[in-house]
Amino acid sequence: MQKVRIGIIGAGGIANNHAHYYRQLPEVELAAVADIVEERAKDFAVRWGIPPSNVFTDYVEMLESVELDAVSVCTPHAVHAKPTIEALKRGVHVLVEKPMASKAADALEMYRAARASGKILMVGFQTRWSPELRAARKIVQSGALGKVYYAEATLGGRRRGIPGSPSFLKRELAGGGALLDIGCYAIDNMMYVLGHPTPLTVSAVTAAAIGPQREAVVEGGWGWDPSMFEVEDFAAAFIRFEGGLTVVFKESWAMHANSLGSAFVLGTKGGLKLSPLELYRDEFGFMTTTTFVLPQVDIYRERIRNFVEAVKRGGPSPIDPREIVIEMFIIDAIYESAAKGREVEVKLPPEVLKP
Ligand SMILES: NC(=O)c1ccc[n+]([C@@H]2O[C@H](COP(=O)([O-])OP(=O)(O)OC[C@H]3O[C@@H](n4cnc5c(N)ncnc54)[C@H](O)[C@@H]3O)[C@@H](O)[C@H]2O)c1
């Protein structure tokens, strides 16, 4: 059997998760790794059985000198676009970590590179294999909710959960904070459930509320160095969509509250709470609440397995990158609206609108 040869770009925390699941697939060979920190690349290669000759500090050199079918791009958010485009240009399929990029313009260039090469570009939202979200999407698609007019998108927020690494906190590497890091999930989850409606306008706020405080209590209670913190730890937005639908988005890395609540969807004939999944309706002359018996799924395993299957088939991407580019334009609009202090338009280029 011809092996699927995989390269890893960025050998930090999440790259090990990719390698773990690639290694469970007998048809996959972990063939090469690149990280600007040489020690990290070398350690990674030893851990995952990559030959020393295929360890690089420059991913372009890796792409030039090793025959690869696909790469996992596991660099900080603002470093997703360049390696992705370089790989696609050379005919290599790409699984890039979330968020797709740190800004919409980069995401659009990545999408264009994928279209030009005809190769797979998959943004690694493992949540797309969540049984809860899949069930919610089916329920919305079935029409059981009637006309959907309002939804709230959130993962519930963290009381304290600011990532400790510069990859997430330094503007140059991260591009933004809680909105990009976990807000991208809240937005993708909701867009997926609602069937990817077209956004029109955004009115938003962001805040750096807890992160800049030296005396802030962080997870575990150890010392916190606020000089690392250059991004936002809170974002909220009021997003209008075509067809009279509104979504309120809110996400937090740190706050003086336990929870921002669950994401939910309201329709004229029914409502849904996403986590845990519950369906609210009027039935038999009574108000009913339906709960679901859902399978246990290892969503990280599914994302790697589905990516590799798509590579073997030669496409298409299990997650349409066009959908994620649109979400990046929403995120851009949230930052723009927060900076300007007023509502802004979501300026979608015609090429990402539904064909
Ligand atoms: N899907 C998930 O559940 C999940 C979980 C964690 C992180 N992530 C995403 O994965 C990405 C990386 O996060 P992480 O926690 O692994 O960060 P990390 O800081 O642990 O690792 C990033 C690695 O990229 C390397 N790097 C930076 N610039 C590079 C370049 N130009 N070329 C090669 N290597 C380079 C760094 O040296 C570092 O080793 C982020 O975008 C994050 O949002 C996703």
Side-chain angles (χ1 to χ4, degrees):
M1 181 176 55
Q2 184 92 16
K3 290 266 185 184
V4 177
R5 288 170 59 81
I6 303 279
I8 304 283
I9 302 178
I14 199 64
N16 287 286
N17 173 288
H18 287 234
H20 171 76
Y21 288 101
Y22 280 128
R23 210 166 63 172
Q24 293 186 0
L25 301 172
E27 69 270 41
V28 167
E29 180 182 346
L30 278 172
V33 61
D35 196 297
I36 45 171
V37 180
E38 191 175 6
E39 276 314 300
R40 221 170 274 170
K42 280 185 174 164
D43 288 351
F44 188 91
V46 169
R47 196 171 315 128
W48 299 107
I50 295 168
S53 56
N54 286 357
V55 176
F56 299 86
T57 51
D58 177 351
Y59 61 82
V60 175
E61 214 182 305
M62 177 182 94
L63 293 167
E64 288 288 321
S65 47
V66 186
E67 194 72 33
L68 295 171
D69 297 298
V71 289
S72 272
V73 174
C74 300
T75 42
H77 317 332
V79 194
H80 286 178
K82 277 192 182 153
T84 296
I85 292 166
E86 291 298 333
L88 289 168
K89 271 198 323 208
R90 290 170 175 80
V92 173
H93 302 291
V94 176
L95 166 56
V96 61
E97 264 301 343
K98 48 54 61 178
M100 185 169 186
S102 59
K103 46 183 197 282
D106 284 356
L108 187 59
E109 287 309 313
M110 294 157 79
Y111 176 64
R112 286 178 177 154
R115 293 195 66 173
S117 71
K119 296 293 163 183
I120 296 165
L121 171 55
M122 173 173 142
V123 182
F125 279 112
Q126 68 279 353
T127 33
R128 289 290 187 101
W129 285 276
S130 144
E132 255 167 6
L133 290 180
R134 293 196 152 217
R137 179 180 163 92
K138 269 195 176 167
I139 293 162
V140 171
Q141 278 177 344
S142 77
L145 303 189
K147 180 177 163 49
V148 172
Y149 55 92
Y150 181 80
E152 292 203 1
T154 182
L155 302 187
R158 300 174 181 168
R159 180 166 175 180
R160 282 316 129 81
I162 303 177
S165 136
S167 292
F168 296 86
L169 303 179
K170 290 285 171 200
R171 190 155 287 281
E172 191 195 353
L173 291 174
L179 169 57
L180 275 172
D181 181 38
I182 50 176
C184 72
Y185 283 121
I187 292 170
D188 184 64
N189 290 354
M190 191 52 81
M191 291 291 278
Y192 173 70
V193 166
L194 297 177
H196 305 284
T198 303
L200 299 173
T201 61
V202 167
S203 186
V205 287
T206 59
I210 309 289
Q213 300 184 46
R214 182 164 297 282
E215 64 281 12
V217 176
V218 293
E219 265 179 312
W222 55 76
W224 171 240
D225 174 9
S227 69
M228 290 223 295
F229 190 85
E230 299 178 351
V231 291
E232 82 287 347
D233 51 24
F234 176 85
F238 187 92
I239 312 165
R240 291 177 198 273
F241 289 84
E242 268 181 16
L245 165 71
T246 303
V247 174
V248 162
F249 157 82
K250 51 198 180 179
E251 204 48 80
S252 166
W253 264 348
M255 60 184 172
H256 291 300
N258 279 334
S259 170
L260 295 170
S262 167
F264 65 85
V265 179
L266 296 182
T268 52
K269 297 286 180 202
L272 270 183
K273 184 171 77 174
L274 261 51
S275 183
L277 186 64
E278 285 183 355
L279 169 63
Y280 309 106
R281 280 186 296 185
D282 290 348
E283 291 176 301
F284 319 111
F286 295 92
M287 286 184 278
T288 62
T289 301
T290 308
T291 58
F292 294 79
V293 182
L294 296 167
Q296 292 284 328
V297 171
D298 182 341
I299 57 180
Y300 285 98
R301 179 176 174 274
E302 286 307 304
R303 85 164 161 174
I304 294 294
R305 198 178 63 76
N306 279 277
F307 176 64
V308 170
E309 284 302 320
V311 167
K312 290 196 306 198
R313 282 195 313 266
S317 174
I319 300 176
D320 186 348
R322 191 185 61 81
E323 297 165 357
I324 320 297
V325 177
I326 293 173
E327 294 167 12
M328 285 301 308
F329 274 90
I330 295 175
I331 289 174
D332 258 27
I334 292 176
Y335 282 125
E336 185 193 345
S337 168
K340 290 182 173 164
R342 62 169 174 78
E343 187 172 66
V344 300
E345 261 178 65
V346 183
K347 300 177 202 82
L348 293 179
E351 69 200 87
V352 300
L353 291 172
K354 270 195 186 131

